[in-house]
Amino acid sequence: MPELPEVETIVRGLAAKVVGATIDRVDVRLPRVVVAPDGMRFGKALCGERIVAARRRGKYAVLQLASGRALVTSLRMTGRLVVAQPAAAELPATHVVLSLRGRGVLRFSDVRTFGRMRLVAAREAWDRDLGVEPLSSDFTQEAFIGMLSGRTTPVKALLLDQRRIAGIGNIYACEALWEARIRPSRPAGSLTKPATHRLRRAIIDVLQRAIEMRGTSVDDYVDADGLQGGFQNDLSVYGRGGRPCRRCGGSILRTVLAQRGTWWCRRCQR
Ligand SMILES: [Zn+2]
C-alpha cells in the first residue's frame, strides 16, 4: 500500500534520524523477511555499518551504507519502518530491529509479512527493472508519450506498471486520472496529446501534494515517527464510491480494472 508519497515521507523522516548512525546490533526475529547476497549473513554484514544516506526509489526505502552496500526495504501492504527509543512500545509484528549507537532503534514491522529487507552489494543493479521516477527530470512529456503510444493496455494499468513509472500505486493512479479527466479504462495509446499532457501534469501534481501532506493513511501507513499522513482528507475519488464528484457532482463509481478496485467519475472522466 505505501506508494511514492508515503515512502518519500518515511525516508525523509529516516534521513533526519538515522543518517550518520552506526548499526550496533541486528535482531532478526522472522528470518524469511530478510534477504542478503549469497555468502553474506544479513545481521553479521550490517553490524558496524554506518548509514550515510536515506533515499527512495519507486516504492522502496533505501538506506545507503558506508561500505557501498545498501539496505533496501519494500513495505508492500502493511510494512512499517519506525525509529524509536529502545524503551518505547513496539508495533505489532516487529520482525527486524536495528540498534543504532546512541540513536535509538529502527524497527521493521509488518503484520501481513509481504514486505522484505534486502541487503544489496555495492554496485548491485537491484533496481534495473524499475521505470522512470515521475518526480525526476527524466519524466518528460516525450518519455511519457513514448510509454503510451501504440499500447492497448488500459491507461490505469500502465500507470501501475512499475517497470514503466516507479512509485505509482492504486491511490495515486485513480487520483491522477480523475484530475486529468481521463477514464481509467481508456487504451493508453488512444490518449490525445493534450490528454497525455494533462495526465503527466496530474501525476506530478498529485504526488507532490500528497508528499506535502505527508502521505495518505487509509490503511496501516505511518511515517518514521509512527504518525499518520493527511492526504486521505484530500482524496477526490479513491475510496469514495457512491459519493458526489467534487468537480461535477456526478456519482463516483467503483469498478474493477486489472484486478484492482478503481474509482472514477463517469460524467467527467472521458
Ligand atoms: Zn465528475
Side-chain angles (χ1 to χ4, degrees), residues 47-139:
C47 275
E49 277 275 21
R50 194 165 50 86
I51 300 168
V52 295
R55 62 185 180 87
R56 179 193 57 74
R57 174 76 173 104
K59 302 178 192 174
Y60 296 86
V62 182
L63 294 179
Q64 199 62 51
L65 305 169
S67 65
R69 294 173 186 153
L71 180 59
V72 178
T73 305
S74 70
L75 299 165
R76 295 294 299 277
M77 305 288 287
T78 54
R80 294 167 163 187
L81 280 175
V82 172
V83 183
Q85 286 309 306
E90 286 186 0
L91 290 167
T94 295
H95 303 312
V96 181
V97 180
L98 306 185
S99 301
L100 308 173
R101 190 178 304 162
R103 305 281 284 273
V105 289
L106 172 60
R107 294 173 177 148
F108 174 54
S109 68
D110 188 352
V111 172
R112 296 184 64 180
T113 66
F114 291 117
R116 291 290 179 269
M117 274 190 146
R118 181 171 160 206
L119 183 62
V120 299
R123 291 182 295 281
E124 186 179 333
W126 66 272
D127 66 342
R128 66 177 163 256
D129 292 333
L130 289 180
V132 65
E133 284 291 331
L135 297 181
S136 77
S137 56
D138 295 336
F139 185 48

Side-chain angles (χ1 to χ4, degrees), residues 7-250:
V7 180
E8 182 68 30
T9 304
I10 290 167
V11 298
R12 287 182 186 185
L14 291 178
K17 288 166 183 285
V18 306
V19 169
T22 299
I23 301 167
D24 264 346
R25 215 164 66 85
V26 179
D27 181 12
V28 177
R29 299 172 190 171
L30 188 65
R32 70 184 159 93
V33 306
V34 303
V35 186
D38 283 344
M40 215 186 267
R41 274 181 50 216
F42 182 86
K44 201 168 176 217
L46 278 174
C47 275
E49 277 275 21
R50 194 165 50 86
I51 300 168
V52 295
R55 62 185 180 87
R56 179 193 57 74
R57 174 76 173 104
K59 302 178 192 174
Y60 296 86
V62 182
L63 294 179
Q64 199 62 51
L65 305 169
S67 65
R69 294 173 186 153
L71 180 59
V72 178
T73 305
S74 70
L75 299 165
R76 295 294 299 277
M77 305 288 287
T78 54
R80 294 167 163 187
L81 280 175
V82 172
V83 183
Q85 286 309 306
E90 286 186 0
L91 290 167
T94 295
H95 303 312
V96 181
V97 180
L98 306 185
S99 301
L100 308 173
R101 190 178 304 162
R103 305 281 284 273
V105 289
L106 172 60
R107 294 173 177 148
F108 174 54
S109 68
D110 188 352
V111 172
R112 296 184 64 180
T113 66
F114 291 117
R116 291 290 179 269
M117 274 190 146
R118 181 171 160 206
L119 183 62
V120 299
R123 291 182 295 281
E124 186 179 333
W126 66 272
D127 66 342
R128 66 177 163 256
D129 292 333
L130 289 180
V132 65
E133 284 291 331
L135 297 181
S136 77
S137 56
D138 295 336
F139 185 48
T140 60
Q141 184 65 11
E142 293 68 35
F144 194 37
I145 289 171
M147 261 177 234
L148 302 176
S149 80
R151 300 193 62 90
T152 54
T153 323
V155 61
K156 187 195 168 199
L158 190 134
L159 296 184
L160 294 175
D161 185 346
Q162 301 300 300
R163 295 167 301 178
R164 298 185 178 278
I165 306 175
I168 301 175
N170 207 21
I171 296 175
Y172 300 105
C174 290
E175 293 295 310
L177 287 163
W178 179 84
E179 195 167 307
R181 306 191 302 280
I182 295 167
R183 190 176 286 229
S185 59
R186 273 271 295 274
S190 76
L191 265 60
T192 61
K193 212 168 177 182
T196 308
H197 182 72
R198 285 202 310 275
L199 182 54
R200 179 176 157 276
R201 290 303 323 165
I203 289 167
I204 294 169
D205 178 68
V206 74
L207 293 173
Q208 283 177 340
R209 283 192 291 121
I211 291 171
E212 279 167 29
M213 300 293 285
R214 307 177 56 78
T216 302
S217 289
V218 286
D219 238 318
D220 296 85
Y221 158 71
V222 290
D223 68 13
D225 293 303
L227 303 173
Q228 293 207 326
F231 198 66
Q232 60 276 11
N233 305 313
D234 280 12
L235 294 172
S236 296
V237 281
Y238 182 87
R240 298 190 71 241
R243 294 169 67 188
C245 171
R246 297 188 200 278
R247 183 164 48 212
C248 75

Side-chain angles (χ1 to χ4, degrees), residues 247-269:
R247 183 164 48 212
C248 75
S251 184
I252 302 296
L253 289 178
R254 181 192 185 277
T255 54
V256 175
L257 186 66
Q259 287 111 47
R260 308 293 299 275
T262 299
W263 289 267
W264 57 288
C265 176
R266 192 200 297 273
R267 201 191 285 176
C268 67
Q269 287 179 256

